[in-house]
Each structure stands twice: as structure tokens, then as C-alpha cells.
Amino acid sequence: MIDILFQSLIFPGLLFSVAMAFWFEYIERKITAKIQGRVGPLYTGPKGLLQPLVDFIKLLVKEEIVPRNCDILLYRVAPVLAISIPVFAMCYIPVATTQMPLSFQGDVLLVFLLLALTALTVALAGYAALTPYTAIGVGRLLLQYTMYESIFALSLASVALQASSLSFKDLIEYQAQHGPLVLYQPIGFITSLFALLAKLEKRPFDLPHAKQEVVAGWLTEYSGRSLAYLRLFNDLSMTWGISLLTSFYLGGPLGPGYEKIGPLAGFLWFGFKALALSFLLTFISASMARFKVSGLARVFWGILYPLVFIQLLIAFLFRWLV
């Protein structure tokens, strides 16, 4: 019971997930600023490290303006529900060891369900304060969802297919025996990276909240505490998505010294891999311009879908050969 409470509230649950979310936001802002010739966070904390935390606290205490004709129940519940989903999902990610206290056979299926629920909570948040900008933002979000979600799920499913398991524990143990699955499935790794960018609404797939077009999209009518929660949800989603790719393709906590040192080495290896992925995602996002809707369809339906199906066939062959 104590292990479950620790996992849910401390590590890798609430506190750890929030700390990682602020850390990844800091990295994203610094790298983006460097690429674009700006400074980025600098003065709050060492090298501006505490800036994401301070921004979150400032939003918590700012005045919250509630739209007059909004659905007040959804308006209040959606941000809290949005935060709870990635925090709950992080409890199943093998961050330091191959198995967590809440793990069970089939926990990968639960993660797939939670992936779908994140888009639903965002849509509810947008429709709770229905205005022209939020309506356009939610419409774009759902359109984008139909393109990226199946690619992301199929990319991860190809890993489960090769390992012949729907358990995180078995996926990690398979990679301990045969090496990181990114070596066998580089196509799936690339398609999952672009699908994750679309899921996180990062450039070049930031149509749902394109500032130059629809102010902030589905976030337009949120302020104060609710906006702080939804911004935190975006950072938590990035933490969760990076952790998924680290576990599925890069072996999670596995690395030199893991068998001798144990969880400490596993945590350090997991953090190093997640950090490398955050650099890669941010570099791609900061280096590309936004796609139009037609360009979005061309990329996903014309390029990524054929690639992910090729990867599924390769995974099926590796299931019998490896």
C-alpha cells in the first residue's frame, strides 16, 4: 500500500511528473530561443531554471475571467481532469526499474485508452467556453486528432507486436535481451515522433492554437487558475509522450550498470534518454513552419500512414525472426 501511494503521489506520479514537466518546458524555451536568436529564461533561478514554476504560480494567483455563457461545470472540471490523465498514466511507466507497483499484464492497452481520453478532455475544455475562436480551435484539434492518433497508436503497437506482449515489463525485458527496439523499428520511431509533435500541438502541427490565426484556439477563453492548469497539462503531456517513446523504443531504464547498480542507474539512463528526446523534439519544432490543413493531410495520409503500415509488416517479420 505504501509503495502504491509513493508511486502515485511522489515517483513517478504527481510530484515527479510536474517537476519533469517544468524541466522540459525550460529546455524547450531555451532551445527555441537559441535557434531563433533570443535569450529565453535567464534570471529566475540558476540560468532561469525556475521560470516555468514561477509562471505557473503567477497564473494561479491572477484574476480569472469566466465567460458569461460558458458551461461552468465543464469549464471547472476539464482542466483538472486534463491534468489527472497524464499523471495517472505516468504511474505505469517503468522509470527506474522494469516493473512498477501498479503494473499488470495489459497495462499498455490502458495507456492507449488514456491517449484517446486526452483529446476528449481538451475538446471538452474548448466547448465549455464556446466562442468563435474556441470553436475553430476545437474543430482543428479534432481534425488533427483523426490524423495523428492512429499513427501514434500503430507505431507503438508495432513494438508490442514484435515483443508479443502488452505489458511494459515484458517490453523492457525484451529489449534487455535483444537491444533497443529503435534498432529494429526506425521507421516506427520516426512516425511516432511526428505524431507526438501533432499530439502536443507543437510546430509544424500547431493549427489548433495558431496565435496568428485564432488567438490561442481552444485556450482563448481561459485565464488565471484554469489557464495555469491547462498549460501544465501541455507540459505533462510532453513528459508522458517522451516517457512512452523512451520505454517503447529506447529500453527505458536499461543501460550499462543497470544490473549491478539497480534503480539509481535505471533512473539516470531513463533521464538521459528522455532528455535527448526532448532536445530532438524541440529542435524539430523550432526549425519548422506551420503546415496548412492541406499540408497536414498530405504529411499524415500521404507519407506517414504508408510508412507506419510498412513498419507493421517489418515488426511482424521480426516477431518470428528475432
Side-chain angles (χ1 to χ4, degrees), residues 278-292:
S278 69
F279 272 93
L280 179 59
L281 286 170
T282 303
F283 181 80
I284 295 173
S285 176
S287 304
M288 301 185 71
R290 182 186 311 124
F291 284 127
K292 298 180 180 179

Side-chain angles (χ1 to χ4, degrees), residues 254-273:
L254 300 178
Y258 172 74
E259 294 183 357
K260 294 183 178 180
I261 303 176
L264 178 59
F267 173 73
L268 293 176
W269 275 113
F270 187 95
F272 174 76
K273 296 170 186 178

Side-chain angles (χ1 to χ4, degrees), residues 32-197:
T32 303
K34 191 71 174 178
I35 292 175
Q36 297 176 354
R38 297 183 289 107
V39 176
L42 184 61
Y43 298 108
T44 308
K47 300 293 184 179
L49 182 62
L50 298 179
Q51 191 63 55
L53 174 61
V54 172
D55 290 344
F56 176 74
I57 295 174
K58 285 193 299 183
L59 279 176
L60 285 179
V61 299
K62 281 185 176 292
E63 179 185 3
E64 184 175 11
I65 301 174
V66 180
R68 180 180 302 170
N69 298 319
C70 74
D71 186 325
I72 191 63
L73 178 61
L74 285 180
Y75 189 87
R76 296 297 187 189
V77 170
V80 179
L81 181 61
I83 288 178
S84 64
I85 291 176
V87 170
F88 177 63
M90 281 295 295
C91 295
Y92 297 92
I93 304 296
V95 174
T97 61
T98 59
Q99 185 175 9
M100 307 302 288
L102 293 180
S103 299
F104 63 94
Q105 288 296 326
D107 49 11
V108 170
L109 288 178
L110 176 61
V111 168
F112 284 172
L113 173 62
L114 294 174
L115 284 171
L117 288 179
T118 55
L120 175 62
T121 56
V122 169
L124 290 176
Y127 279 128
L130 196 58
T131 63
Y133 288 129
T134 58
I136 295 173
V138 172
R140 289 182 173 186
L141 171 74
L142 296 178
L143 175 64
Q144 192 162 290
Y145 172 82
T146 62
M147 300 182 190
Y148 72 74
E149 189 66 23
S150 55
I151 289 180
F152 193 61
L154 287 172
S155 298
L156 300 185
S158 65
V159 172
L161 175 63
Q162 180 173 335
S164 301
S165 177
L166 292 172
S167 167
F168 278 105
K169 178 177 179 293
D170 294 340
L171 293 180
I172 300 300
E173 290 180 349
Y174 181 91
Q175 294 178 81
Q177 297 176 9
H178 303 289
L181 280 162
V182 68
L183 301 177
Y184 304 93
Q185 302 193 22
I187 298 176
F189 179 69
I190 293 172
T191 56
S192 62
L193 274 179
F194 281 95
L196 180 59
L197 282 173

